[in-house]
Each structure stands twice: as structure tokens, then as C-alpha cells.
Amino acid sequence: MTVSTEGTATVLPPGGPAAPARPIPAARRGLSRGVLLLLEAAVAFAAALVLPLLARGFNFNPLDRIAQVSGLAAIQLRFALIGLVLIGAVALAVRLRGGRHFDLATRFAAAGLAGLASGFVAAGAVVALHGTPWPMFGLNGDSGRIVEWAHAVANGRPSGSPVYPPAPLHTLGYYAEWFRGGNTAYAFKDLQILGAAAFGPLVYLSWRLLLGPVRALAFGVAPAFALIDAYKPYSQTVLVVLVPVLVAMVVSLSRSGTQGWRPLLLKGAGFGALLGVLFLTYSGWFLWSAAGVLFAALLYFPWREGRLKGAAFLGVSLAAFLVVAGRYLMVMLTEGQTTKDYNFRFDNFTDPAYYLMWRTDMPGKVGEWPLPGEYGGVGLFALVTFAGLGAAIWLGLRKPMVVTIAAMFVSAWVMRMYIASNMYETQTVQLYTRTNNQLLYCGLLLCALVVHLVSQRMAARRPQATAAEEPSAAPAVLPGGPGTGFPGREGAVIGTMCALLLLLGTVSSSMADRYMPAKENTYRILPWVSHTITEQDGSCPKYAPGGTCSKDGDQSWLSFIR
């Protein structure tokens, strides 16, 4: 597969960069790059649906804590077994036919693990909402507004907020018409589950624009799971997809001066249209990222040769973006300027330099916050993140991937401090605390890229494989092999996947657990309320506490925050 992380094209094996390059076995059998990526996508999305479908057969009372723990364990068991089957297939491919199918098995196993991980969180949402047709939080809060606006859009009326991203509202409205008889409330429950399931495949496929399968899973997908959300899954999904897409666009810009006109223009149109769709889905990340991406684009623009092609690439990208999202952009530039956010939340009273953990708008019981750290109030995790950022810039100062992500980090940081510094004067917050997620994700990516860059340098030192070597012993997917002091690539791939299986399984379980119903001032209240709202036929949900319910559901939890 031809990818680029340095601004130059390189033929890479499926796990990441290595030397020397060799043809991918699947390609020798006539499978094109596009077909292979489509197969990977199919595997990833299919794997994402397995655990939610299996969870539909669980018979637990989701309001009972023991039942919740049992549900999480049941999902974890199935996740581990299926994941081990995928890794076992990779190990088996090493033995069969001289390892000819090892690369293909690696592709599909990496895609499958990405889908399984987000499917775990979606399965947790299935358990949490078992017995109620309502989405998380029913018709209250953001959930209620989204349901109401989507219903209006589906019936040809304007939504209640012209600046709210239109893509989620249209998607929900049309999905409800096609599958739920126009009931946008019940349809939103489906899309919360399906949206969480799609998170892993989408971020994996986005990083496959830049990295081989194992590296995309390790260095792109794993950091993203700190942000997965089952309540409004589209906003975080846009962030984790936008970062690699913008990086890939900057990489393409840096190479535009040497490309042919036809692929150049097609690629530019593709990037512009994709960015337009993302902008229609959630636009906030574009605001935080704009200055950083502009800096990276100017830095990697082909100023010396190919300026006309570079300008054509950007021009076609902009034109395609405006075709897709131009109308909404005009709305944001006009009405968005007059829209004010006066809702002060928990994080607005926190030190603005702290972004490493977002406790949501419902933080629960909070003592001292941020938690005191060992170094001037800063904890070890922050120190590691900052050190990783510096090391990534040191090792990858000339690499578009590193520079673009670092620039997006700095851009979000500056915007955060600018808005927060005016908070007292304007008495508005303008969602600046949402930069937490972008800062955290970019920081985690830069730490992961340190490992990526070090492993690249180690792989580059491996002696050239001779023609007499078997294909399975020719270049490393990850560093290793004869002459390096490390085992071969097969062991590196299998070991990495085993570690990622445990990491993603543990993280996904934690993120699923935070949506298990409980009557407390955290995100657990969202599904709890869903179980206490009267259904449209007048009955109560199956597990409503005491068999009682009401129009708005149990709102007594509000006393916890007063």
C-alpha cells in the first residue's frame, strides 16, 4: 500500500514503515489497494456490530449494579474471545503457505479489533438502555432538543437553532422516517448505539490514510478511545476523524508539486468534500484547529516548485468544501457571531490550564479539583504528555504529521486561553472547555508518535533482505529481525495486537461503565432517567423503579447539585 507520513510516497507493509519494501501478497493475487481498503472497512464495521447484537440477548436488570457488572463481564468475555480468534488467525497465517497470507490476516485483524473496541461501548449502551425505548436522558436536555429539532427538519420545518450542525438532525430525522415511523425519540436511541459502534471503524479508516494497519490501530485508534461517547457520539467522532484527515491533506499538499493533474484535482476534491461533511456534522473543532492547520499548510506549501499545482489543490479543496457546506458556513459566519453561550459549567470554574480529564457537565462528587500533582500541582500524566510533545517535535520536526498535530494542539490552546481570558468581561463561555478533548487527543497522539518515530528509526537500521529470503522474512512490519537484536516482525505484530486487545478492552469497559444507570450527578443519570419516562403507549419501561414513571422521568437527582 502506498501511504505517506513524511511528504514522500513509500511502499509500506501493513503494520507500518520498514525497509526494504516488498509487494503485498494480496496485491500479487490481483486485489487492488482500493479493494483491500473496502474489505478492511467491511471487516471493521461488521466487527463493530457483533457485540451490540449479542448484547441484545442479555437478560439483566440494567438498574441493578450486580447486573451491570455481569453485563460488562459478559461483553468483555465475548470481546476477548473474538479478539483472540482474530489474533490467532494472524498467528496461523505465519505457519500456512510460508506466511503468504500474513499481511492480509494482519489487515483484517487490525480492522476487526478497531471495530470490536467501539462495539464494546455500543454493547454497553445496549445493556444500559435494555427495557426502555427512550434514548439516554429521554426528552430532557440536549437529547430532547436534538429529538425535537430533528422532527422539525424531517417535516420540512426549520430547526430550533440555525447554528446547530444540520447533518445529525437530518440523519436522525430521515432514519426515524425510514425505520421508526417518524418517531425521532426512539430513533435517537438506535443512533446513539450505532454511532458509538461506528467510532472505531471510522477513526481506523481515517488513520489508514497515513499509516499501516497495526500502526493505525496502535497510534491512532488507541488514543482516540479516551474520547468515545455514546450520548452524542457524532461530536467526538468528528474530532478523531478530522485530525488524521487534515494531516493527510497537509501531506498531500506537500507532495502536490510532483503529482499529475488528474490525481491531484481528484484528491483535492475528495478532501474538500470530506471536510464539508465533517463540518456539517460538528463545526467546533474547525474553529479550534484553523490557525494551526493554516500554519502547517503555509509551511508545507510547494513554494519552490509546483506552486501552481499547490494552489490548484487548495482551490479545488475549497470549492468542494463550499459546495457541500457553504450554506452552513455562511450561517455560522453571520448568525453564529450573535449566538452567545451563557451556561457556566463545572469546568468553567477550573484552572484553565488543566485539560487532561473532562468530568463532563455533571461531575458527580468532586473534592479538590484538579487533583494535586507531585510537581507544582502537576501530575505525572501531564509531565509525560508534555515530554512526549517535545520529543515528538524533536524527532519529527520535518514531518508533516508531527508538525500539523502539534500546530493543532497549540492552536486549540491559544483559542482556549483567548476565550477564557474574556469570560469575565463578556460573561460568556463560548464552549471553550470543549478544547479539552482536542488538547488531550493531540497530546496523546504526539506521545504515540514518539514510539512510531523511534520504531521507524530502528526498522531503518535493519539489514537489507536478500533475494533468497522467504517473503515472510523480508521486511519488518514493526522493528525487528536479523541484525537488530529484536525478534522478527511476526512476533512484533502478534505481541502488539495482544497488548492492544487488553488495552482497548479495558478502556472500552471503563467508557461503557460510565453510562450504566445510577441516580447520581454523573453521566449515569442519563440512562437512569430513560428508565423512568412514560412510554408513548402510556406504560412504564420494563425496569422502572417501583413500576412508576412520569412524563419527564425522575428529576429528583437535581437536588444533588443544589
Side-chain angles (χ1 to χ4, degrees):
M1 166 179 182
T2 303
V3 295
S4 174
T5 60
E6 323 298 342
T8 58
T10 309
V11 178
L12 305 181
R22 67 180 172 93
I24 298 172
R28 290 202 300 266
R29 295 195 303 272
L31 294 179
S32 68
R33 175 190 177 190
V35 170
L36 286 171
L37 286 175
L38 286 175
L39 290 174
E40 281 185 69
V43 170
F45 282 108
L49 295 176
V50 171
L51 294 176
L53 290 174
L54 292 176
R56 294 181 63 187
F58 295 172
N59 188 22
F60 296 130
N61 178 352
L63 275 63
D64 183 276
R65 183 55 186 168
I66 299 299
Q68 294 171 6
V69 173
S70 294
L72 290 172
I75 299 169
Q76 186 75 250
L77 176 63
R78 289 156 177 78
F79 171 84
L81 291 176
I82 298 172
L84 288 172
V85 169
L86 292 174
I87 297 173
V90 177
L92 186 62
V94 176
R95 295 285 187 179
L96 295 178
R97 304 188 67 181
R100 290 180 60 187
H101 302 294
F102 178 78
D103 293 325
L104 195 61
T106 299
R107 283 175 175 265
F108 294 156
L113 289 177
L116 278 176
S118 58
F120 192 132
V121 179
V126 171
V127 171
L129 296 173
H130 176 59
T132 177
W134 296 105
M136 293 186 186
F137 219 31
L139 299 179
N140 301 284
D142 288 348
S143 179
R145 284 191 289 270
I146 292 170
V147 166
E148 178 185 353
W149 295 343
H151 183 75
V153 167
N155 286 276
R157 303 192 303 272
S159 70
S161 172
V163 299
Y164 197 84
L169 303 181
H170 284 83
T171 301
L172 175 56
Y174 291 121
Y175 177 91
E177 291 292 329
W178 295 336
F179 300 105
R180 286 290 191 174
N183 188 328
T184 51
Y186 289 2
F188 193 35
K189 172 186 173 180
D190 297 346
L191 293 188
Q192 285 176 335
I193 295 168
L194 292 173
F199 181 94
L202 290 175
V203 66
Y204 172 78
L205 294 171
S206 299
W207 279 101
R208 287 291 280 117
L209 296 171
L210 296 157
L211 299 171
V214 177
R215 290 176 184 268
L217 184 65
F219 306 137
V221 175
F225 269 74
L227 306 177
I228 189 170
D229 183 13
Y231 178 42
K232 293 187 295 181
Y234 52 88
S235 61
Q236 307 305 328
T237 302
V238 169
L239 170 61
V240 297
V241 170
L242 180 65
V243 173
V245 168
L246 288 175
V247 171
M249 186 175 180
V250 172
V251 170
S252 295
L253 175 63
S254 69
R255 300 171 52 204
S256 59
T258 59
Q259 285 193 329
W261 279 104
R262 179 181 173 83
L264 176 75
L265 297 178
L266 288 176
K267 190 175 293 186
F271 276 118
L274 179 55
L275 290 174
V277 171
L278 294 175
F279 187 78
L280 291 174
T281 305
Y282 195 83
S283 58
W285 314 121
F286 287 79
L287 174 63
W288 316 132
S289 305
V293 175
L294 177 61
F295 168 80
L298 292 174
L299 185 63
Y300 289 102
F301 188 86
W303 296 106
R304 293 185 178 179
E305 56 181 39
R307 283 177 290 182
L308 179 60
K309 288 186 175 180
F313 176 81
L314 292 178
V316 170
S317 298
L318 177 61
F321 175 84
L322 292 176
V323 168
V324 175
R327 180 180 297 180
Y328 178 54
L329 176 62
M330 291 302 299
V331 170
M332 292 297 293
L333 292 176
T334 53
E335 299 190 42
Q337 299 299 315
T338 60
T339 302
K340 303 296 182 182
D341 178 14
Y342 300 99
N343 186 16
F344 282 77
R345 305 167 180 84
F346 165 74
D347 276 354
N348 297 122
F349 301 94
T350 299
D351 175 7
Y354 183 80
Y355 65 86
L356 296 165
M357 181 187 297
W358 181 49
R359 294 197 59 158
T360 77
D361 299 338
M362 295 175 285
K365 296 180 180 180
V366 180
E368 183 177 358
W369 188 260
L371 297 174
E374 297 80 7
Y375 176 72
V378 177
L380 180 61
F381 180 71
L383 296 179
V384 170
T385 303
F386 299 149
L389 186 150
I393 295 174
W394 170 45
L395 296 171
L397 184 59
R398 298 183 179 181
K399 302 180 186 298
M401 177 186 293
V402 173
V403 173
T404 304
I405 295 174
M408 293 175 71
F409 180 97
V410 173
S411 176
W413 179 271
V414 172
M415 289 295 297
R416 174 185 181 90
M417 296 307 166
Y418 172 76
I419 297 173
S421 68
N422 289 285
M423 184 170 57
Y424 178 76
E425 179 181 352
T426 63
Q427 289 298 296
T428 62
V429 295
Q430 300 303 96
L431 297 176
Y432 83 83
T433 54
R434 297 301 187 263
T435 57
N436 282 18
N437 295 330
Q438 181 165 331
L439 291 169
L440 177 59
Y441 185 45
C442 289
L444 290 174
L445 286 175
L446 290 169
C447 288
L449 288 177
V450 171
V451 181
H452 167 64
L453 294 170
V454 170
S455 66
Q456 273 191 320
R457 289 172 180 260
M458 293 168 58
R461 294 180 179 179
R462 186 184 178 204
Q464 293 284 320
T466 66
E469 287 183 305
E470 291 292 329
S472 62
V477 175
L478 290 175
T484 63
F486 290 91
R489 69 187 184 110
E490 294 87 356
V493 168
I494 294 171
T496 300
M497 285 189 170
C498 287
L500 290 173
L501 179 69
L502 290 172
L503 173 64
L504 292 172
T506 304
V507 171
S508 296
S509 183
S510 175
M511 299 305 279
D513 187 37
R514 76 170 183 165
Y515 294 103
M516 290 299 163
K519 192 175 179 179
E520 58 185 42
N521 181 28
T522 68
Y523 263 23
R524 295 184 176 191
I525 195 62
L526 302 178
W528 172 276
V529 171
S530 304
H531 288 277
T532 63
I533 299 176
T534 305
E535 296 184 24
Q536 292 189 340
D537 62 3
S539 63
C540 288
K542 181 177 180 180
Y543 298 105
T548 61
C549 55
S550 62
K551 177 179 179 294
D552 297 322
D554 183 2
Q555 298 296 318
S556 61
W557 65 279
L558 290 170
S559 62
F560 301 154
I561 59 176
R562 291 172 182 166

